[in-house]
């Protein structure tokens, strides 16, 4: 479990480094997006037969970082939409 959290932080941090521009995300958001990316990466790697979902492998790691970058973009779009159109 601790390894899964550390992997999520590493994947989330790498995704934030690879995504251009400044992201307004905290540590918890980075962790959650990294964890979601690692689950997606593990699932894709498992479906391709390169390993188990909880097994660390190169393909799963690369897909996890790509998925986390995409999730950060989605999170920024959602957060930006909330800032521009406040609910009254």
């Amino acid at each position: 479990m601790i390894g899964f959290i550390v992997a999520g932080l590493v994947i989330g941090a790498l995704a934030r480094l690879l995504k251009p521009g400044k992201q307004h995300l905290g540590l918890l958001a980075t962790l959650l997006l990294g964890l979601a990316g690692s689950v997606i990466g593990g699932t894709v790697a498992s479906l391709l037969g390169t390993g188990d979902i909880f097994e660390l492998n190169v393909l799963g790691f690369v897909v996890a970082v790509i998925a986390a970058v995409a999730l950060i973009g989605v999170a920024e779009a959602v957060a930006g939409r909330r800032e521009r159109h406040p609910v009254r």
Side-chain angles (χ1 to χ4, degrees), residues 1 3 13 17 20 30-31 33 36-37 41 43 48 63 76-77 80:
M1 184 71 169
L17 286 172
T30 302
L31 170 65
L33 293 172
T43 302
L48 293 175
V63 173
E76 286 179 325

Side-chain angles (χ1 to χ4, degrees), residues 55-71:
E55 186 178 298
L56 184 62
N57 59 43
V58 175
L59 178 64
F61 186 79
V62 170
V63 173
V65 172
I66 292 169
V69 169
L71 289 172

Side-chain angles (χ1 to χ4, degrees), residues 11-53:
I11 289 168
L14 278 173
R16 286 187 66 182
L17 286 172
L18 293 174
K19 177 103 174 63
K22 181 170 172 54
Q23 298 90 30
H24 300 286
L25 300 172
L27 184 64
L28 183 60
T30 302
L31 170 65
L32 293 175
L33 293 172
L35 286 173
S38 66
V39 168
I40 293 169
T43 302
V44 169
S46 176
L47 291 173
L48 293 175
T50 62
D52 189 56
I53 188 170

